[in-house]
């Protein structure tokens, strides 16, 4: 095998548990076991990728020991500063501190890498090989200036790499051999911008200190919740996925398969209204922290923009999502090469109910301004206008009168009515909630007394656990208890939870366990006073991750592998919320 073949072999996709995330709010990157940035879009989340090895494309930025080593890594507490760590055969431990300068600039990504040898000198190799628009744009001329700083272009993007004056240019990529020595950090700084880089390169020490300070300010202590370290990590992940406009992307990646070769892989680099509401409500359960304000700001702006025509998802700046297309790459093994999403053509009624729940949660913390109350009025009026329409539902399926969608709207109306609304509005919203509940009680109840998915579908669904958690009906209502007990009997396995039954196959053969649903069960059990069971559910599902503590949408219980895009923001949101809820008695509304 020649050097070029070995080079490309090293950066093939790995199991999802092997990746860590670094992010600055405006974009993020996945760091693999060979110290490679295997995925990064720039300048923002939904831009073309400059490093796309994760889905079989070109482009990588790697740094790792040159010799035999064993790799691990860890996050610095309360941040997305990752430390790749290698134990070498000859000279002990060497680490590379990795981060995107935080908080991010919308137009310029700054990738910080600092090499730290602990025991003895260690030889490492760095490779920088950018490729714009998922590999469709090769890097233009690379040149080194008189200060030893490298400059280049990839399509409309400008590149600048400092700290590597002795790098060599080879076949369109830069290679650097360096020796790390104890006590002498080596800094590399890569900038990627859609605007001219007119200012001098960042000072590494100053950039690191600013990033450390910003993360300290961004992530709250959370010592009052269950599993505070994991809760803080989930908050950091959500903050890293949240841009300056307040929108939190659903995940950092696109088209990672939920099930190999079954076509269930999607582009999640956009902001789903529902997911944003889950995140805001999770934060509100823990305390009145800034991510709650971000969620309210984004959702209120979209309601003000589109009113009853609210669509399920938007780009991070609130624009429409482009339609789905292929990009001519191999894809992650078992998946495809998809960008864009069809979701904009759907109506999802539950997003209106979730918006009301989010805004009411902010109001209870006295964090809802006049614009926020305007959004409450818009959402409530939209529910009144549209609650009897069929919708795609929480799982984005075919249009039907989904029971969950209607019950969540009832919960949202009641929450808004009880969060400080004027008396006349509160009375109107409570009356509408009663009407929705009565109608849904006629169409959405199974003969056994539990909720069913829809009038024409007697099946159970994990989504039907949420209405009671959100206050649509009391915890001791017979329908609440019957739904939870039926769900536990039919759609769970060894404290892993599934959404619904697809067909006659065993649950684990149809799809992976849905990690978010496991946390929902933990809260539902806690709401029923089943504390021991609630803790078991919480512990089981928070362990469905890799060494970096990132959670994906699904977990394959047979292969003990993560499935779907990474990291999945709403899963981290539900971890945070359940950590807060389980730490105290369930609130009575």
């Amino acid at each position: 095998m020649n050097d070029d073949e070995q080079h490309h072999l090293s950066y093939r996709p790995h199991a999802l548990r092997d990746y860590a995330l670094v992010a600055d709010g405006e974009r993020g990157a996945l760091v693999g076991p060979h110290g490679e940035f295997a995925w990064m879009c720039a300048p923002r989340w939904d831009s073309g990728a400059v490093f796309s090895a994760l889905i079989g494309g070109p482009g990588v930025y790697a740094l790792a020991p040159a010799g035999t080593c064993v790799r691990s890594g860890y996050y610095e507490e309360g941040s997305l500063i990752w430390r790749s760590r290698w134990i070498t055969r000859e000279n002990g431990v060497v680490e590379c501190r990795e981060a995107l300068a935080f908080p991010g600039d919308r137009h310029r990504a700054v990738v910080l890498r600092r090499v730290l040898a602990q025991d003895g000198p260690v030889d490492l190799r760095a490779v920088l090989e950018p490729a714009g628009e998922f590999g469709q744009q090769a890097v233009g001329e690379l040149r080194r200036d008189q200060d030893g700083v490298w400059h280049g272009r990839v399509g409309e993007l400008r590149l600048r790499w400092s700290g590597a004056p002795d790098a060599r240019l080879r076949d369109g990529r830069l290679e650097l051999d360096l020796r790390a020595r104890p006590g002498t950090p080596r800094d590399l700084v890569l900038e990627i911008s859609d605007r001219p880089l007119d200012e001098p390169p960042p000072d590494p020490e100053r950039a690191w200190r600013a990033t450390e300070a910003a993360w300290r300010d961004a992530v709250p202590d959370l010592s009052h919740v269950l599993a505070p370290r994991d809760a803080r990590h989930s908050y950091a992940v959500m903050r890293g996925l949240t841009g300056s406009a307040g929108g939190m992307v659903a995940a950092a990646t696109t088209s990672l398969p939920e099930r190999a070769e079954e076509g269930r892989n999607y582009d999640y680099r956009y902001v789903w209204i529902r997911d944003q509401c889950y995140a805001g409500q999770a934060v509100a359960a823990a305390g009145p922290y800034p991510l709650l304000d971000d969620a309210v700001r984004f959702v209120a702006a979209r309601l003000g923009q589109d009113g009853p025509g609210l669509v399920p998802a938007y780009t991070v700046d609130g624009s429409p999502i482009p339609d789905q297309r292929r990009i001519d790459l191999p894809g992650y093994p078992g998946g495809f090469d998809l960008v864009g999403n069809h979701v904009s053509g759907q109506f999802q009624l539950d997003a209106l109910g979730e918006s009301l729940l989010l805004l009411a949660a902010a109001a209870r913390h006295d964090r809802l301004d006049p614009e926020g109350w305007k959004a409450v009025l818009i959402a409530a009026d939209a529910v009144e206008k549209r609650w009897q329409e069929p919708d795609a539902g929480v799982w984005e399926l075919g249009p039907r009168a989904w029971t969950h969608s209607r019950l969540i709207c009832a919960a949202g109306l009641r929450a808004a009515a009880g969060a400080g609304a004027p008396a006349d509005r509160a009375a109107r919203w409570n009356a509408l909630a009663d009407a929705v509940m009565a109608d849904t009680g006629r169409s959405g109840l199974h003969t056994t007394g539990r909720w069913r998915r829809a009038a024409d579908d007697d099946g159970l669904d994990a989504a039907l656990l949420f209405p009671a958690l959100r206050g649509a009906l009391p915890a001791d209502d017979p329908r609440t208890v019957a739904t939870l007990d039926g769900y536990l009997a039919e759609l769970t396995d060894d404290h892993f939870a599934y959404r619904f039954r697809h067909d006659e196959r065993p649950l684990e053969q149809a799809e992976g366990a849905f990690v978010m649903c496991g946390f929902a069960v933990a809260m539902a059990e806690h709401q029923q006073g089943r504390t021991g069971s609630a803790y078991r559910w919480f512990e089981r599902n928070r362990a469905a991750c890799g060494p970096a503590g990132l959670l994906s949408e699904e977990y394959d219980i047979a292969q003990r592998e993560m499935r779907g895009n990474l990291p999945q923001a709403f899963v981290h949101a539900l971890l945070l919320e359940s950590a807060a809820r389980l730490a105290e008695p369930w609130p009575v509304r």
Side-chain angles (χ1 to χ4, degrees):
M1 183 180 299
N2 62 37
D3 287 347
D4 281 340
E5 290 172 330
Q6 183 64 50
H7 162 74
H8 290 290
L9 178 62
S10 298
Y11 308 125
R12 289 180 178 175
H14 298 274
L16 296 185
R17 63 170 179 255
D18 291 335
Y19 290 100
L21 171 77
V22 293
D24 64 9
E26 306 299 336
R27 80 285 296 169
L30 292 192
V31 186
H34 296 286
E36 76 275 23
F37 277 50
W39 178 256
M40 181 176 173
C41 298
R44 66 179 195 175
W45 292 106
D46 58 343
S47 300
V50 290
F51 308 131
S52 55
L54 180 70
I55 59 172
V60 73
Y61 180 27
L63 176 62
T68 303
C69 60
V70 175
R71 179 260 192 184
S72 60
Y74 59 97
Y75 281 107
E76 296 182 11
E77 175 71 15
S79 77
L80 291 186
I81 299 173
W82 174 254
R83 284 186 178 242
S84 295
R85 189 174 193 269
W86 298 276
I87 303 175
T88 67
R89 178 171 289 167
E90 295 83 9
N91 290 309
V93 174
V94 62
E95 294 187 345
C96 182
R97 203 176 184 214
E98 329 248 18
L100 298 185
F102 178 75
D105 180 282
R106 292 185 65 190
H107 299 283
R108 182 182 62 143
V110 179
V111 181
L112 303 174
R113 309 190 86 164
R114 171 170 284 181
V115 182
L116 304 152
Q118 295 187 7
D119 303 308
V122 178
D123 292 325
L124 299 98
R125 169 166 288 190
V127 176
L128 175 59
E129 187 179 12
E133 284 297 324
F134 307 102
Q136 296 175 19
Q137 298 173 342
V139 65
E141 180 184 358
L142 288 165
R143 60 178 180 82
R144 181 172 48 203
D145 67 21
Q146 61 185 9
D147 296 319
V149 176
W150 289 91
H151 301 258
R153 293 283 295 263
V154 179
E156 297 300 315
L157 298 176
R158 281 87 166 172
L159 308 176
R160 184 164 62 186
W161 195 32
S162 52
D166 44 347
R168 61 189 179 276
L169 181 60
R170 177 183 177 187
D171 297 328
R173 66 178 182 265
L174 290 169
E175 297 181 352
L176 171 68
D177 293 319
L178 61 94
R179 173 162 290 187
R181 301 181 186 277
T184 307
R186 177 71 180 267
D187 286 298
L188 300 173
V189 179
L190 173 65
E191 300 164 82
I192 306 172
S193 177
D194 63 358
R195 292 184 173 179
L197 294 167
D198 295 329
E199 299 295 322
D203 175 74
E205 184 61 33
R206 197 172 305 164
W208 276 114
R209 288 180 181 175
T211 295
E212 294 161 7
W215 277 114
R216 282 195 300 270
D217 291 343
V219 179
D221 176 67
L222 297 179
S223 58
H224 62 290
V225 309
L226 195 66
R229 185 184 182 94
D230 280 0
R232 294 188 79 218
H233 182 51
S234 283
Y235 190 102
V237 169
M238 290 191 293
R239 176 59 188 90
L241 296 174
T242 299
S244 54
M248 179 193 72
V249 294
T253 58
T254 181
S255 61
L256 301 186
E258 298 168 9
R259 205 72 179 169
E261 306 299 346
E262 290 193 8
R264 297 212 309 268
N265 44 170
Y266 310 99
D267 189 351
Y268 282 179
R269 300 171 300 147
Y270 306 105
V271 183
W272 264 255
I273 294 295
R274 178 191 307 106
D275 298 18
Q276 186 82 77
C277 293
Y278 285 171
Q281 291 175 76
V283 173
Y289 301 119
L291 281 181
L292 171 59
D293 300 331
D294 288 332
V296 167
R297 181 160 52 99
F298 189 88
V299 172
R302 304 290 77 73
L303 284 164
Q305 171 183 303
D306 291 336
L310 184 76
V311 296
Y314 297 83
T315 67
V316 288
D317 63 1
S319 299
I321 293 175
D323 205 3
Q324 186 172 283
R325 64 183 176 90
R326 304 288 291 266
I327 52 175
D328 196 26
L329 290 179
Y332 186 88
F336 300 100
D337 55 334
L338 301 174
V339 296
N341 200 292
H342 293 317
V343 73
S344 294
Q346 296 182 357
F347 167 53
Q348 295 179 10
L349 174 65
D350 69 299
L352 294 170
E354 294 290 354
S355 297
L356 287 170
L357 288 164
L358 166 67
L359 297 167
R364 289 195 295 272
H365 281 295
D366 196 25
R367 299 182 82 90
L368 200 63
D369 63 13
E371 289 302 311
W373 277 109
K374 287 181 183 178
V376 173
L377 298 176
I378 292 169
D381 288 349
V383 170
E384 187 172 27
K385 178 181 179 181
R386 305 196 67 177
W387 73 268
Q388 297 182 79
E389 296 180 27
D391 77 299
V394 63
W395 308 129
E396 301 179 354
L397 303 172
R400 290 163 105 169
W402 296 104
T403 301
H404 162 265
S405 296
R406 296 181 171 197
L407 295 180
I408 283 296
C409 284
L413 289 165
R414 287 180 174 165
D424 58 336
R425 288 282 184 177
R428 178 175 174 176
W429 294 342
N430 279 321
L432 178 57
D434 290 343
V436 173
M437 289 295 300
D439 186 85
T440 309
R442 290 188 290 271
S443 64
L445 270 184
H446 190 268
T447 55
T448 59
R450 61 161 175 81
W451 295 111
R452 59 182 177 179
R453 302 184 75 204
D456 57 351
D457 187 339
D458 283 340
L460 280 156
D461 194 309
L464 295 171
L465 304 179
F466 280 92
L469 296 177
R470 300 305 185 216
L473 65 166
D476 60 358
D477 188 294
R479 295 168 293 183
T480 299
V481 179
T483 300
L484 174 58
D485 289 344
Y487 176 82
L488 290 172
E490 294 188 28
L491 289 174
T492 70
D493 181 9
D494 195 20
H495 291 90
F496 285 113
Y498 294 83
R499 294 184 298 167
F500 53 86
R501 187 170 289 281
H502 289 260
D503 47 42
E504 296 305 313
R505 289 177 294 172
L507 292 170
E508 71 278 4
Q509 291 183 19
E511 71 173 4
F514 231 69
V515 184
M516 178 191 78
C517 299
F519 291 122
V521 175
M523 290 191 288
E525 289 283 78
H526 181 53
Q527 188 184 41
Q528 294 299 321
R530 305 169 186 171
T531 305
S533 176
Y535 282 11
R536 283 193 290 273
W537 276 95
F538 177 77
E539 294 296 338
R540 179 59 134 171
N541 284 271
R542 78 174 173 124
C545 61
L550 301 179
L551 294 161
S552 61
E553 189 170 40
E554 298 184 18
Y555 188 75
D556 187 319
I557 66 171
Q559 299 179 38
R560 298 180 185 267
E561 293 285 1
M562 300 155 65
R563 302 291 185 220
N565 283 303
L566 186 74
Q568 190 75 34
F570 65 45
V571 182
H572 284 278
L574 269 290
L575 185 156
L576 174 61
E577 182 176 1
S578 54
R581 301 287 188 201
L582 270 61
E584 57 187 25
W586 190 269
V588 178
R589 294 176 180 170

